[in-house]
Amino acid sequence: MDVAVHEKLRANLAGVESRIAAACARAGRARSEVTLVAVTKTVSAKIAAMLPELGVFDLGENRPQELWRKSEILPKSIRWHMIGHLQRNKIERTLPLVALVHAVDSVRLLQALEQQQRPIRVLLEVNVSGETSKQGFAPSALPDLVPMLGDLKHVKVSGLMTMAALQEPEACRPAFVTLRQLRDQLRTNGLPDVEHLSMGMSNDFEIAIEEGATLVRLGTVLFEGISEPEA
Ligand SMILES: *Cc1c(COP(=O)(O)O)cnc(C)c1O
């Protein structure tokens, strides 16, 4: 069964890789500009452990407890991405384990991260779709944050992240364009290190790459057809 799962995962990954490469080619971008973050929240540690064997070393989890659990068991060569909301009481335990925190959605959280006095790279989550159900900074709030962001000593804001509304992929394009424009504004307004765009999920990653995504967060499309009884 493990061999079959491994082969299915290899095939899924090959399919995803060729779609990423094609989207890069359409946009005139190098494949190396886009990092695939495999979102392992729906699979066991055993299946997640097959990813580094297949050359995927960037893994994402949206719940801190699950990231703690998997990172303890899986190879240390993995770069963990905290892609979901990080509660302040989970910061201390999470920071030493992760390469990047994707969804920083408030000034309070930024300040709590800074208080750890530990170098950490983060992305600001932006609610570009304006849905009230979504977390994140309003686009209009970003310019006022620039002085505060520039003063952070330990937290390095490396880019922006968004979740597009679930809809036709092409309908997500304006949200991705907006996120890119917001990043460009921050860069020209004194924050040159704001370079990354974490945008694009299984439904819409090709559009996101065409619009400049540097990190795509993929779960469903990688693990479709793979099921296993949890041990
Ligand atoms: C689950 C999740 C993803 C992956 O979504 P898929 O549609 O399964 O690819 C990406 N980003 C976040 C924040 C998630 O929680």
Side-chain angles (χ1 to χ4, degrees), residues 37-42 61-63 82-85 102-103 125 161-163 166 198 200-205 216-223:
V37 178
V39 178
T40 50
K41 67 188 180 197
T42 61
E61 284 286 337
N62 71 333
R63 290 178 50 243
M82 178 64 218
I83 62 170
H85 180 68
H102 284 234
E125 181 171 5
M161 176 264 197
T162 199
M163 309 259 288
L166 249 196
S198 172
M201 305 178 18
S202 291
N203 176 55
D204 52 26
F205 68 97
V216 290
R217 311 178 308 268
L218 304 183
T220 309
V221 74
L222 277 179
F223 300 112

PDB file of all heavy atoms in Angstrom, residues 37-42 61-63 82-85 102-103 125 161-163 166 198 200-205 216-223, ligand 1:
ATOM      1  N   VAL A  37       4.787  25.092  -1.700  1.00  0.00           N
ATOM      2  CA  VAL A  37       4.619  24.720  -0.299  1.00  0.00           C
ATOM      3  C   VAL A  37       3.532  23.652  -0.248  1.00  0.00           C
ATOM      4  O   VAL A  37       2.375  23.913  -0.588  1.00  0.00           O
ATOM      5  CB  VAL A  37       4.217  25.932   0.570  1.00  0.00           C
ATOM      6  CG1 VAL A  37       4.010  25.508   2.027  1.00  0.00           C
ATOM      7  CG2 VAL A  37       5.262  27.039   0.474  1.00  0.00           C
ATOM      8  N   ALA A  38       3.915  22.441   0.127  1.00  0.00           N
ATOM      9  CA  ALA A  38       2.950  21.338   0.190  1.00  0.00           C
ATOM     10  C   ALA A  38       2.207  21.420   1.519  1.00  0.00           C
ATOM     11  O   ALA A  38       2.818  21.354   2.589  1.00  0.00           O
ATOM     12  CB  ALA A  38       3.675  20.002   0.073  1.00  0.00           C
ATOM     13  N   VAL A  39       0.896  21.585   1.441  1.00  0.00           N
ATOM     14  CA  VAL A  39       0.075  21.726   2.648  1.00  0.00           C
ATOM     15  C   VAL A  39      -0.379  20.340   3.097  1.00  0.00           C
ATOM     16  O   VAL A  39      -1.183  19.681   2.426  1.00  0.00           O
ATOM     17  CB  VAL A  39      -1.126  22.646   2.380  1.00  0.00           C
ATOM     18  CG1 VAL A  39      -2.002  22.757   3.630  1.00  0.00           C
ATOM     19  CG2 VAL A  39      -0.650  24.029   1.940  1.00  0.00           C
ATOM     20  N   THR A  40       0.146  19.911   4.232  1.00  0.00           N
ATOM     21  CA  THR A  40      -0.005  18.514   4.658  1.00  0.00           C
ATOM     22  C   THR A  40      -1.106  18.315   5.699  1.00  0.00           C
ATOM     23  O   THR A  40      -1.190  17.251   6.310  1.00  0.00           O
ATOM     24  CB  THR A  40       1.333  18.001   5.228  1.00  0.00           C
ATOM     25  OG1 THR A  40       1.820  18.943   6.196  1.00  0.00           O
ATOM     26  CG2 THR A  40       2.370  17.870   4.131  1.00  0.00           C
ATOM     27  N   LYS A  41      -1.963  19.320   5.870  1.00  0.00           N
ATOM     28  CA  LYS A  41      -2.948  19.257   6.964  1.00  0.00           C
ATOM     29  C   LYS A  41      -3.928  18.089   6.832  1.00  0.00           C
ATOM     30  O   LYS A  41      -4.483  17.660   7.824  1.00  0.00           O
ATOM     31  CB  LYS A  41      -3.718  20.577   7.056  1.00  0.00           C
ATOM     32  CG  LYS A  41      -4.621  20.872   5.876  1.00  0.00           C
ATOM     33  CD  LYS A  41      -5.187  22.290   5.948  1.00  0.00           C
ATOM     34  CE  LYS A  41      -6.082  22.549   4.747  1.00  0.00           C
ATOM     35  NZ  LYS A  41      -6.342  23.976   4.539  1.00  0.00           N
ATOM     36  N   THR A  42      -4.136  17.589   5.624  1.00  0.00           N
ATOM     37  CA  THR A  42      -5.119  16.510   5.458  1.00  0.00           C
ATOM     38  C   THR A  42      -4.483  15.124   5.417  1.00  0.00           C
ATOM     39  O   THR A  42      -5.191  14.129   5.263  1.00  0.00           O
ATOM     40  CB  THR A  42      -5.916  16.688   4.142  1.00  0.00           C
ATOM     41  OG1 THR A  42      -4.986  16.631   3.050  1.00  0.00           O
ATOM     42  CG2 THR A  42      -6.658  18.003   4.110  1.00  0.00           C
ATOM     43  N   GLU A  61       1.488  23.815   7.413  1.00  0.00           N
ATOM     44  CA  GLU A  61       0.370  23.378   8.248  1.00  0.00           C
ATOM     45  C   GLU A  61      -0.400  24.619   8.677  1.00  0.00           C
ATOM     46  O   GLU A  61       0.184  25.684   8.872  1.00  0.00           O
ATOM     47  CB  GLU A  61       0.879  22.632   9.495  1.00  0.00           C
ATOM     48  CG  GLU A  61       1.344  21.211   9.216  1.00  0.00           C
ATOM     49  CD  GLU A  61       0.172  20.232   8.978  1.00  0.00           C
ATOM     50  OE1 GLU A  61      -0.958  20.508   9.437  1.00  0.00           O
ATOM     51  OE2 GLU A  61       0.408  19.201   8.308  1.00  0.00           O
ATOM     52  N   ASN A  62      -1.710  24.470   8.857  1.00  0.00           N
ATOM     53  CA  ASN A  62      -2.489  25.642   9.262  1.00  0.00           C
ATOM     54  C   ASN A  62      -2.838  25.644  10.745  1.00  0.00           C
ATOM     55  O   ASN A  62      -3.364  26.621  11.246  1.00  0.00           O
ATOM     56  CB  ASN A  62      -3.749  25.800   8.405  1.00  0.00           C
ATOM     57  CG  ASN A  62      -4.782  24.739   8.691  1.00  0.00           C
ATOM     58  OD1 ASN A  62      -4.426  23.629   9.119  1.00  0.00           O
ATOM     59  ND2 ASN A  62      -6.049  25.052   8.475  1.00  0.00           N
ATOM     60  N   ARG A  63      -2.516  24.543  11.454  1.00  0.00           N
ATOM     61  CA  ARG A  63      -2.764  24.533  12.897  1.00  0.00           C
ATOM     62  C   ARG A  63      -1.447  24.267  13.625  1.00  0.00           C
ATOM     63  O   ARG A  63      -0.755  23.288  13.324  1.00  0.00           O
ATOM     64  CB  ARG A  63      -3.795  23.463  13.261  1.00  0.00           C
ATOM     65  CG  ARG A  63      -5.202  23.816  12.760  1.00  0.00           C
ATOM     66  CD  ARG A  63      -6.234  22.731  13.069  1.00  0.00           C
ATOM     67  NE  ARG A  63      -6.196  22.328  14.459  1.00  0.00           N
ATOM     68  CZ  ARG A  63      -5.890  21.095  14.877  1.00  0.00           C
ATOM     69  NH1 ARG A  63      -5.604  20.146  14.018  1.00  0.00           N
ATOM     70  NH2 ARG A  63      -5.887  20.814  16.146  1.00  0.00           N
ATOM     71  N   MET A  82       4.143  28.069   8.659  1.00  0.00           N
ATOM     72  CA  MET A  82       2.907  28.197   9.433  1.00  0.00           C
ATOM     73  C   MET A  82       1.960  29.038   8.592  1.00  0.00           C
ATOM     74  O   MET A  82       2.156  30.245   8.453  1.00  0.00           O
ATOM     75  CB  MET A  82       3.233  28.862  10.781  1.00  0.00           C
ATOM     76  CG  MET A  82       2.035  29.106  11.659  1.00  0.00           C
ATOM     77  SD  MET A  82       1.241  27.572  12.155  1.00  0.00           S
ATOM     78  CE  MET A  82      -0.476  28.081  12.075  1.00  0.00           C
ATOM     79  N   ILE A  83       0.959  28.374   7.970  1.00  0.00           N
ATOM     80  CA  ILE A  83       0.149  29.102   6.985  1.00  0.00           C
ATOM     81  C   ILE A  83      -1.178  29.585   7.544  1.00  0.00           C
ATOM     82  O   ILE A  83      -1.879  30.364   6.909  1.00  0.00           O
ATOM     83  CB  ILE A  83      -0.094  28.250   5.714  1.00  0.00           C
ATOM     84  CG1 ILE A  83      -0.863  26.980   6.062  1.00  0.00           C
ATOM     85  CG2 ILE A  83       1.219  27.934   5.011  1.00  0.00           C
ATOM     86  CD1 ILE A  83      -1.357  26.222   4.835  1.00  0.00           C
ATOM     87  N   GLY A  84      -1.563  29.090   8.740  1.00  0.00           N
ATOM     88  CA  GLY A  84      -2.849  29.500   9.308  1.00  0.00           C
ATOM     89  C   GLY A  84      -2.666  30.531  10.404  1.00  0.00           C
ATOM     90  O   GLY A  84      -1.560  30.988  10.682  1.00  0.00           O
ATOM     91  N   HIS A  85      -3.768  30.880  11.023  1.00  0.00           N
ATOM     92  CA  HIS A  85      -3.727  31.874  12.095  1.00  0.00           C
ATOM     93  C   HIS A  85      -2.888  31.352  13.266  1.00  0.00           C
ATOM     94  O   HIS A  85      -3.045  30.208  13.685  1.00  0.00           O
ATOM     95  CB  HIS A  85      -5.147  32.197  12.566  1.00  0.00           C
ATOM     96  CG  HIS A  85      -5.169  33.202  13.665  1.00  0.00           C
ATOM     97  ND1 HIS A  85      -4.797  34.510  13.461  1.00  0.00           N
ATOM     98  CD2 HIS A  85      -5.466  33.084  14.983  1.00  0.00           C
ATOM     99  CE1 HIS A  85      -4.890  35.162  14.614  1.00  0.00           C
ATOM    100  NE2 HIS A  85      -5.286  34.321  15.540  1.00  0.00           N
ATOM    101  N   HIS A 102       3.098  32.727   7.584  1.00  0.00           N
ATOM    102  CA  HIS A 102       2.429  33.351   6.431  1.00  0.00           C
ATOM    103  C   HIS A 102       1.306  34.324   6.756  1.00  0.00           C
ATOM    104  O   HIS A 102       1.012  35.186   5.961  1.00  0.00           O
ATOM    105  CB  HIS A 102       1.804  32.267   5.532  1.00  0.00           C
ATOM    106  CG  HIS A 102       2.774  31.521   4.684  1.00  0.00           C
ATOM    107  ND1 HIS A 102       2.650  31.400   3.329  1.00  0.00           N
ATOM    108  CD2 HIS A 102       3.889  30.828   5.014  1.00  0.00           C
ATOM    109  CE1 HIS A 102       3.642  30.657   2.843  1.00  0.00           C
ATOM    110  NE2 HIS A 102       4.410  30.289   3.850  1.00  0.00           N
ATOM    111  N   ALA A 103       0.600  34.091   7.852  1.00  0.00           N
ATOM    112  CA  ALA A 103      -0.690  34.772   7.996  1.00  0.00           C
ATOM    113  C   ALA A 103      -0.739  35.724   9.181  1.00  0.00           C
ATOM    114  O   ALA A 103      -1.632  35.664  10.009  1.00  0.00           O
ATOM    115  CB  ALA A 103      -1.813  33.733   8.087  1.00  0.00           C
ATOM    116  N   GLU A 125      -0.913  38.982   6.169  1.00  0.00           N
ATOM    117  CA  GLU A 125      -2.108  38.542   5.447  1.00  0.00           C
ATOM    118  C   GLU A 125      -2.964  39.762   5.125  1.00  0.00           C
ATOM    119  O   GLU A 125      -3.230  40.598   5.987  1.00  0.00           O
ATOM    120  CB  GLU A 125      -2.923  37.542   6.285  1.00  0.00           C
ATOM    121  CG  GLU A 125      -4.154  37.059   5.535  1.00  0.00           C
ATOM    122  CD  GLU A 125      -4.870  35.908   6.215  1.00  0.00           C
ATOM    123  OE1 GLU A 125      -4.479  35.516   7.328  1.00  0.00           O
ATOM    124  OE2 GLU A 125      -5.844  35.412   5.607  1.00  0.00           O
ATOM    125  N   MET A 161       0.515  37.882   1.956  1.00  0.00           N
ATOM    126  CA  MET A 161      -0.189  36.617   1.714  1.00  0.00           C
ATOM    127  C   MET A 161      -1.676  36.914   1.603  1.00  0.00           C
ATOM    128  O   MET A 161      -2.172  37.848   2.236  1.00  0.00           O
ATOM    129  CB  MET A 161       0.091  35.702   2.907  1.00  0.00           C
ATOM    130  CG  MET A 161      -0.625  34.379   2.909  1.00  0.00           C
ATOM    131  SD  MET A 161      -2.138  34.398   3.877  1.00  0.00           S
ATOM    132  CE  MET A 161      -2.403  32.637   4.084  1.00  0.00           C
ATOM    133  N   THR A 162      -2.363  36.146   0.781  1.00  0.00           N
ATOM    134  CA  THR A 162      -3.820  36.281   0.763  1.00  0.00           C
ATOM    135  C   THR A 162      -4.482  34.948   0.442  1.00  0.00           C
ATOM    136  O   THR A 162      -3.851  34.022  -0.077  1.00  0.00           O
ATOM    137  CB  THR A 162      -4.289  37.355  -0.239  1.00  0.00           C
ATOM    138  OG1 THR A 162      -5.628  37.759   0.100  1.00  0.00           O
ATOM    139  CG2 THR A 162      -4.292  36.850  -1.680  1.00  0.00           C
ATOM    140  N   MET A 163      -5.742  34.854   0.813  1.00  0.00           N
ATOM    141  CA  MET A 163      -6.602  33.743   0.434  1.00  0.00           C
ATOM    142  C   MET A 163      -7.659  34.322  -0.504  1.00  0.00           C
ATOM    143  O   MET A 163      -8.418  35.194  -0.091  1.00  0.00           O
ATOM    144  CB  MET A 163      -7.336  33.176   1.654  1.00  0.00           C
ATOM    145  CG  MET A 163      -6.443  32.839   2.822  1.00  0.00           C
ATOM    146  SD  MET A 163      -6.117  31.086   2.917  1.00  0.00           S
ATOM    147  CE  MET A 163      -7.675  30.454   3.471  1.00  0.00           C
ATOM    148  N   LEU A 166     -13.270  31.446  -2.851  1.00  0.00           N
ATOM    149  CA  LEU A 166     -13.456  30.225  -3.638  1.00  0.00           C
ATOM    150  C   LEU A 166     -14.421  30.511  -4.773  1.00  0.00           C
ATOM    151  O   LEU A 166     -15.604  30.727  -4.575  1.00  0.00           O
ATOM    152  CB  LEU A 166     -14.047  29.123  -2.752  1.00  0.00           C
ATOM    153  CG  LEU A 166     -13.145  27.941  -2.416  1.00  0.00           C
ATOM    154  CD1 LEU A 166     -13.988  26.791  -1.882  1.00  0.00           C
ATOM    155  CD2 LEU A 166     -12.313  27.467  -3.596  1.00  0.00           C
ATOM    156  N   SER A 198       2.604  35.187  -1.213  1.00  0.00           N
ATOM    157  CA  SER A 198       2.071  33.858  -0.948  1.00  0.00           C
ATOM    158  C   SER A 198       0.615  33.866  -1.372  1.00  0.00           C
ATOM    159  O   SER A 198      -0.253  34.388  -0.670  1.00  0.00           O
ATOM    160  CB  SER A 198       2.209  33.519   0.541  1.00  0.00           C
ATOM    161  OG  SER A 198       1.541  32.309   0.847  1.00  0.00           O
ATOM    162  N   GLY A 200      -2.340  31.651  -4.106  1.00  0.00           N
ATOM    163  CA  GLY A 200      -2.585  30.522  -4.981  1.00  0.00           C
ATOM    164  C   GLY A 200      -2.694  29.238  -4.190  1.00  0.00           C
ATOM    165  O   GLY A 200      -1.798  28.883  -3.430  1.00  0.00           O
ATOM    166  N   MET A 201      -3.843  28.572  -4.356  1.00  0.00           N
ATOM    167  CA  MET A 201      -4.106  27.274  -3.752  1.00  0.00           C
ATOM    168  C   MET A 201      -4.501  26.339  -4.901  1.00  0.00           C
ATOM    169  O   MET A 201      -4.379  26.695  -6.061  1.00  0.00           O
ATOM    170  CB  MET A 201      -5.211  27.407  -2.682  1.00  0.00           C
ATOM    171  CG  MET A 201      -4.822  28.467  -1.667  1.00  0.00           C
ATOM    172  SD  MET A 201      -5.945  28.888  -0.300  1.00  0.00           S
ATOM    173  CE  MET A 201      -7.086  27.583  -0.163  1.00  0.00           C
ATOM    174  N   SER A 202      -4.960  25.133  -4.564  1.00  0.00           N
ATOM    175  CA  SER A 202      -5.214  24.152  -5.628  1.00  0.00           C
ATOM    176  C   SER A 202      -6.112  24.688  -6.735  1.00  0.00           C
ATOM    177  O   SER A 202      -5.918  24.401  -7.910  1.00  0.00           O
ATOM    178  CB  SER A 202      -5.845  22.890  -5.030  1.00  0.00           C
ATOM    179  OG  SER A 202      -4.886  22.219  -4.241  1.00  0.00           O
ATOM    180  N   ASN A 203      -7.088  25.480  -6.329  1.00  0.00           N
ATOM    181  CA  ASN A 203      -8.089  25.966  -7.266  1.00  0.00           C
ATOM    182  C   ASN A 203      -7.551  27.023  -8.250  1.00  0.00           C
ATOM    183  O   ASN A 203      -8.064  27.149  -9.357  1.00  0.00           O
ATOM    184  CB  ASN A 203      -9.252  26.557  -6.442  1.00  0.00           C
ATOM    185  CG  ASN A 203     -10.325  27.193  -7.284  1.00  0.00           C
ATOM    186  OD1 ASN A 203     -10.872  26.552  -8.166  1.00  0.00           O
ATOM    187  ND2 ASN A 203     -10.629  28.461  -7.024  1.00  0.00           N
ATOM    188  N   ASP A 204      -6.542  27.760  -7.821  1.00  0.00           N
ATOM    189  CA  ASP A 204      -6.214  28.979  -8.572  1.00  0.00           C
ATOM    190  C   ASP A 204      -4.714  29.255  -8.700  1.00  0.00           C
ATOM    191  O   ASP A 204      -4.312  30.366  -9.024  1.00  0.00           O
ATOM    192  CB  ASP A 204      -6.900  30.188  -7.909  1.00  0.00           C
ATOM    193  CG  ASP A 204      -6.600  30.274  -6.417  1.00  0.00           C
ATOM    194  OD1 ASP A 204      -5.549  29.764  -5.990  1.00  0.00           O
ATOM    195  OD2 ASP A 204      -7.428  30.845  -5.677  1.00  0.00           O
ATOM    196  N   PHE A 205      -3.867  28.237  -8.470  1.00  0.00           N
ATOM    197  CA  PHE A 205      -2.426  28.538  -8.382  1.00  0.00           C
ATOM    198  C   PHE A 205      -1.804  28.973  -9.702  1.00  0.00           C
ATOM    199  O   PHE A 205      -0.840  29.747  -9.715  1.00  0.00           O
ATOM    200  CB  PHE A 205      -1.639  27.355  -7.780  1.00  0.00           C
ATOM    201  CG  PHE A 205      -1.570  26.104  -8.619  1.00  0.00           C
ATOM    202  CD1 PHE A 205      -0.466  25.838  -9.429  1.00  0.00           C
ATOM    203  CD2 PHE A 205      -2.594  25.174  -8.578  1.00  0.00           C
ATOM    204  CE1 PHE A 205      -0.381  24.678 -10.174  1.00  0.00           C
ATOM    205  CE2 PHE A 205      -2.528  24.004  -9.330  1.00  0.00           C
ATOM    206  CZ  PHE A 205      -1.426  23.758 -10.141  1.00  0.00           C
ATOM    207  N   VAL A 216       3.291  29.159  -3.628  1.00  0.00           N
ATOM    208  CA  VAL A 216       1.935  28.636  -3.795  1.00  0.00           C
ATOM    209  C   VAL A 216       1.728  27.553  -2.746  1.00  0.00           C
ATOM    210  O   VAL A 216       2.616  26.756  -2.470  1.00  0.00           O
ATOM    211  CB  VAL A 216       1.661  28.087  -5.217  1.00  0.00           C
ATOM    212  CG1 VAL A 216       1.595  29.236  -6.219  1.00  0.00           C
ATOM    213  CG2 VAL A 216       2.709  27.071  -5.654  1.00  0.00           C
ATOM    214  N   ARG A 217       0.543  27.557  -2.141  1.00  0.00           N
ATOM    215  CA  ARG A 217       0.243  26.641  -1.035  1.00  0.00           C
ATOM    216  C   ARG A 217      -0.749  25.586  -1.525  1.00  0.00           C
ATOM    217  O   ARG A 217      -1.924  25.878  -1.724  1.00  0.00           O
ATOM    218  CB  ARG A 217      -0.357  27.426   0.146  1.00  0.00           C
ATOM    219  CG  ARG A 217       0.443  28.682   0.543  1.00  0.00           C
ATOM    220  CD  ARG A 217      -0.234  29.421   1.687  1.00  0.00           C
ATOM    221  NE  ARG A 217      -1.639  29.705   1.427  1.00  0.00           N
ATOM    222  CZ  ARG A 217      -2.105  30.825   0.877  1.00  0.00           C
ATOM    223  NH1 ARG A 217      -1.292  31.796   0.539  1.00  0.00           N
ATOM    224  NH2 ARG A 217      -3.398  30.982   0.670  1.00  0.00           N
ATOM    225  N   LEU A 218      -0.248  24.383  -1.755  1.00  0.00           N
ATOM    226  CA  LEU A 218      -1.086  23.373  -2.400  1.00  0.00           C
ATOM    227  C   LEU A 218      -1.297  22.139  -1.534  1.00  0.00           C
ATOM    228  O   LEU A 218      -0.347  21.518  -1.064  1.00  0.00           O
ATOM    229  CB  LEU A 218      -0.457  22.952  -3.737  1.00  0.00           C
ATOM    230  CG  LEU A 218      -0.168  24.077  -4.739  1.00  0.00           C
ATOM    231  CD1 LEU A 218       0.392  23.504  -6.031  1.00  0.00           C
ATOM    232  CD2 LEU A 218      -1.420  24.894  -5.020  1.00  0.00           C
ATOM    233  N   GLY A 219      -2.570  21.780  -1.359  1.00  0.00           N
ATOM    234  CA  GLY A 219      -2.920  20.569  -0.628  1.00  0.00           C
ATOM    235  C   GLY A 219      -3.682  19.604  -1.514  1.00  0.00           C
ATOM    236  O   GLY A 219      -3.155  18.593  -1.997  1.00  0.00           O
ATOM    237  N   THR A 220      -4.936  19.912  -1.779  1.00  0.00           N
ATOM    238  CA  THR A 220      -5.852  19.025  -2.498  1.00  0.00           C
ATOM    239  C   THR A 220      -5.249  18.434  -3.772  1.00  0.00           C
ATOM    240  O   THR A 220      -5.313  17.223  -4.011  1.00  0.00           O
ATOM    241  CB  THR A 220      -7.138  19.798  -2.865  1.00  0.00           C
ATOM    242  OG1 THR A 220      -7.633  20.419  -1.675  1.00  0.00           O
ATOM    243  CG2 THR A 220      -8.187  18.877  -3.439  1.00  0.00           C
ATOM    244  N   VAL A 221      -4.651  19.283  -4.586  1.00  0.00           N
ATOM    245  CA  VAL A 221      -4.180  18.840  -5.894  1.00  0.00           C
ATOM    246  C   VAL A 221      -2.994  17.867  -5.763  1.00  0.00           C
ATOM    247  O   VAL A 221      -2.760  17.033  -6.642  1.00  0.00           O
ATOM    248  CB  VAL A 221      -3.839  20.075  -6.769  1.00  0.00           C
ATOM    249  CG1 VAL A 221      -2.526  20.722  -6.314  1.00  0.00           C
ATOM    250  CG2 VAL A 221      -3.782  19.741  -8.235  1.00  0.00           C
ATOM    251  N   LEU A 222      -2.279  17.965  -4.650  1.00  0.00           N
ATOM    252  CA  LEU A 222      -1.154  17.051  -4.426  1.00  0.00           C
ATOM    253  C   LEU A 222      -1.598  15.694  -3.898  1.00  0.00           C
ATOM    254  O   LEU A 222      -0.986  14.672  -4.183  1.00  0.00           O
ATOM    255  CB  LEU A 222      -0.182  17.651  -3.400  1.00  0.00           C
ATOM    256  CG  LEU A 222       0.844  18.649  -3.865  1.00  0.00           C
ATOM    257  CD1 LEU A 222       1.662  19.110  -2.662  1.00  0.00           C
ATOM    258  CD2 LEU A 222       1.745  18.036  -4.916  1.00  0.00           C
ATOM    259  N   PHE A 223      -2.658  15.717  -3.101  1.00  0.00           N
ATOM    260  CA  PHE A 223      -3.019  14.489  -2.383  1.00  0.00           C
ATOM    261  C   PHE A 223      -4.293  13.844  -2.901  1.00  0.00           C
ATOM    262  O   PHE A 223      -4.792  12.893  -2.307  1.00  0.00           O
ATOM    263  CB  PHE A 223      -3.136  14.782  -0.879  1.00  0.00           C
ATOM    264  CG  PHE A 223      -1.849  15.290  -0.285  1.00  0.00           C
ATOM    265  CD1 PHE A 223      -1.743  16.592   0.179  1.00  0.00           C
ATOM    266  CD2 PHE A 223      -0.730  14.477  -0.227  1.00  0.00           C
ATOM    267  CE1 PHE A 223      -0.546  17.069   0.699  1.00  0.00           C
ATOM    268  CE2 PHE A 223       0.474  14.934   0.294  1.00  0.00           C
ATOM    269  CZ  PHE A 223       0.560  16.237   0.759  1.00  0.00           C
TER     270      PHE A 223
HETATM  271  C1  LIG B   1      -5.596  24.208   3.365  1.00  0.00           C
HETATM  272  C2  LIG B   1      -4.910  25.454   2.974  1.00  0.00           C
HETATM  273  C3  LIG B   1      -4.300  25.574   1.713  1.00  0.00           C
HETATM  274  C4  LIG B   1      -4.337  24.467   0.663  1.00  0.00           C
HETATM  275  O1  LIG B   1      -5.582  24.466   0.069  1.00  0.00           O
HETATM  276  P1  LIG B   1      -5.920  23.464  -1.163  1.00  0.00           P
HETATM  277  O2  LIG B   1      -7.106  24.089  -1.782  1.00  0.00           O
HETATM  278  O3  LIG B   1      -6.195  22.140  -0.536  1.00  0.00           O
HETATM  279  O4  LIG B   1      -4.742  23.437  -2.042  1.00  0.00           O
HETATM  280  C5  LIG B   1      -3.638  26.755   1.423  1.00  0.00           C
HETATM  281  N1  LIG B   1      -3.576  27.774   2.311  1.00  0.00           N
HETATM  282  C6  LIG B   1      -4.151  27.705   3.521  1.00  0.00           C
HETATM  283  C7  LIG B   1      -4.045  28.859   4.451  1.00  0.00           C
HETATM  284  C8  LIG B   1      -4.839  26.538   3.895  1.00  0.00           C
HETATM  285  O5  LIG B   1      -5.411  26.469   5.110  1.00  0.00           O
END
